[in-house]
Amino acid sequence: MKAVLFETFQEAPKLVTVPDPVPDAHGVVLKVAATGVCRSDWHGWMGHDSDIELPHVPGHELAGEVAAVGKDVRNWKIGDKVTVPFICGCGSCSECHAGQQQVCLHQEQPGFTHWGSFAEYVPIHQADLNLVALPEGMGFDTAASLGCRFATSFRAVIDQGKVRAGQWVAVHGCGGVGLSAVMIAAAAGANVIGVDLDPVKLVLAKEIGAVAAIDGHKADVPGAIREITRGGAHVSLDALGHPVTMTNSILCLRPRGKHVQVGLMLGEHAAPQVPMPKIVGQEIELLGSHGMQAHRYGAMLDMVASGKLDPARLVGERISLDEAPAALMAMDSFRSVGATVITRF
Ligand SMILES: [Zn+2]
Ligand SMILES: [Zn+2]
C-alpha cells in the first residue's frame, strides 16, 4: 500500500510503498477514505510523543470501510462504513470496564502507538469496542473530522464542562478544536465568546454561533471577557494548548468556574505556570479532556443528524496523500481555517 512515512523526527516524510497490514484476531483493517491532518500529527513528527517508534506513519482522524476482519470480531463485516475515536480502548483494564475508554490504561492510538491512516489501509485493534458506524448520508470527509477535534470538543463541552443553556462559555483559540467547541456550546444553549489572533477565524466563529468574538492581540483578554459576561465565564476552554491561552482561560472565569484544558501542552509548554491563587481563592475547577469514547458518539451523531451540529462546515481543504507531507509540516503555522482532510489516495 501507499503510505506517508518518516524515518527521522523533523525530516520531511515521504510517500512510499509498504506491505499491507493484516488484522489481529480482535481487529480489523480499514480502507482509508478520508483522514484529517491535525496538530497532534505535527507534535508526533516533531518528536514530542514518546509512544512513537521510527519509522512511522502518522494519521489518527480517519473514516473508511472495513476491508478485512479478524476471526474474533462479532459486530463488523467487510464493507461497513465506520470511524474510530483516536484513542482506542484495550477492553480489559479498569477504565475500559468503567466505560472510560478515552483514558484506557493500555490505550492504542493509530498514528502514535502504531502506524496510522496517512496510508491506503490502517489496522484497528479491539474493533467491537472501538468502531463507530457512520450514519446514513454522512460523508467520509465529515466523519474523519469528528474523530479527534469534534469528538474531543463534544466531551470537553458536554461531558467535562457540563455546559448548560444560558451559561457563558469562552473558547480560547478558534482552530479545529475551538470552532467545534463554539458550535457545540452554542447548540447546548450557551452564550459563546470566541478568541483568536486571526480575524478570519473570528468571523467563522460568529457564523457558527458565537455571540461575541475577541481579537487575541488585545492586551487584556480576560478583562474583556469578564466585562462582556458581567463577572466572568462559567466555563472556559483552552482549545489551543499554549501558556498564554491557558492563563487567559483561567483568568476569564467567574468564581467556581470551570477551566477545561483541551489543547495539548507538550515540548517547551509541558509545565506551564498556573495562576494558583485564583484557583484556590475562587474555587476554580481545572479539568483535562482527552478524546471521547466510542459509546458516547451516539449522542453527538444524533445532534448531527437532527441538524443542531454541522461538522461539515468545519472541513477546510481537501488534499491528496502525496500533498500530506507538506500539509503536516505546515501544521504549526495555524494558517488553515477548518480541518484539512486527505480524501484522495
Ligand atoms: Zn487530531
Ligand atoms: Zn483499557
Side-chain angles (χ1 to χ4, degrees):
M1 66 171 181
K2 285 190 285 180
V4 168
L5 178 136
F6 56 84
E7 292 185 359
T8 313
F9 294 118
Q10 301 182 22
E11 267 183 26
K14 291 193 186 77
L15 186 62
V16 295
T17 301
V18 295
D20 289 355
V22 288
D24 290 340
H26 54 74
V28 296
V29 168
L30 301 182
K31 182 170 174 40
V32 182
T35 183
V37 183
C38 175
R39 195 154 175 262
S40 306
D41 298 314
W42 178 87
H43 276 300
W45 170 71
M46 285 293 287
H48 295 161
D49 193 310
S50 57
D51 288 334
I52 292 178
E53 284 177 28
L54 297 171
H56 185 67
V57 175
H60 59 280
E61 305 185 353
L62 61 117
E65 273 186 29
V66 176
V69 183
K71 68 176 175 54
D72 296 339
V73 174
R74 291 178 182 181
N75 299 330
W76 304 98
K77 60 181 189 312
I78 289 173
D80 283 346
K81 294 180 169 63
V82 297
T83 187
V84 64
F86 73 92
I87 298 169
C88 294
C90 72
S92 46
C93 75
S94 56
E95 299 311 311
C96 282
H97 286 161
Q100 304 290 349
Q101 290 84 7
Q102 80 286 356
V103 289
C104 167
L105 301 175
H106 311 293
Q107 59 189 253
E108 306 245 19
Q109 297 185 26
F112 297 97
T113 59
H114 63 89
W115 284 11
S117 52
F118 285 15
E120 290 179 280
Y121 295 95
V122 63
I124 300 295
H125 308 294
Q126 299 292 345
D128 286 332
L129 182 67
N130 293 309
L131 292 190
V132 176
L134 297 191
E136 276 297 310
M138 178 177 281
F140 285 120
D141 48 1
T142 303
S145 74
L146 293 177
C148 175
R149 286 166 270 203
F150 205 81
T152 292
S153 297
F154 191 86
R155 177 166 171 75
V157 171
I158 303 294
D159 290 358
Q160 293 293 79
K162 298 191 164 50
V163 167
R164 296 193 310 269
Q167 288 189 322
W168 284 100
V169 174
V171 177
H172 301 262
C174 291
V177 167
L179 287 173
S180 304
V182 167
M183 184 186 279
I184 293 161
N191 298 310
V192 186
I193 301 171
V195 185
D196 203 279
L197 298 172
D198 181 348
V200 177
K201 290 177 183 171
L202 291 179
V203 169
L204 188 51
K206 288 191 87 170
E207 281 175 14
I208 61 172
V211 295
I214 294 176
D215 179 353
H217 294 98
K218 223 179 174 71
D220 185 10
V221 169
I225 294 172
R226 288 196 304 268
E227 195 175 310
I228 293 170
T229 58
R230 297 181 307 282
H234 297 84
V235 178
S236 181
L237 291 84
D238 173 11
L240 175 63
H242 188 279
V244 171
T245 44
M246 180 208 74
T247 304
N248 285 348
S249 174
I250 293 169
L251 295 180
C252 80
L253 289 166
R254 68 180 56 206
R256 294 183 53 79
K258 294 186 177 91
H259 164 76
V260 189
Q261 186 64 42
V262 194
L264 298 176
M265 298 192 80
L266 300 170
E268 60 182 315
H269 299 323
Q273 283 200 310
V274 177
M276 214 38 98
K278 170 153 175 147
I279 308 283
V280 177
Q282 297 190 359
E283 296 192 345
I284 299 299
E285 288 183 61
L286 287 187
L287 297 160
S289 196
H290 194 217
M292 187 168 79
Q293 63 276 58
H295 70 79
R296 283 290 290 150
Y297 270 58
M300 176 176 75
L301 293 173
D302 284 351
M303 286 180 77
V304 176
S306 69
K308 287 204 173 108
L309 296 176
D310 186 8
R313 290 194 64 181
L314 303 178
V315 175
E317 251 190 296
R318 290 164 179 81
I319 64 170
S320 62
L321 191 61
D322 60 356
E323 295 172 293
L328 171 67
M329 291 186 287
M331 266 320 279
D332 197 41
S333 65
F334 308 117
R335 261 185 230 114
S336 55
V337 175
T340 299
V341 183
I342 303 163
T343 54
R344 298 187 299 279
F345 290 82

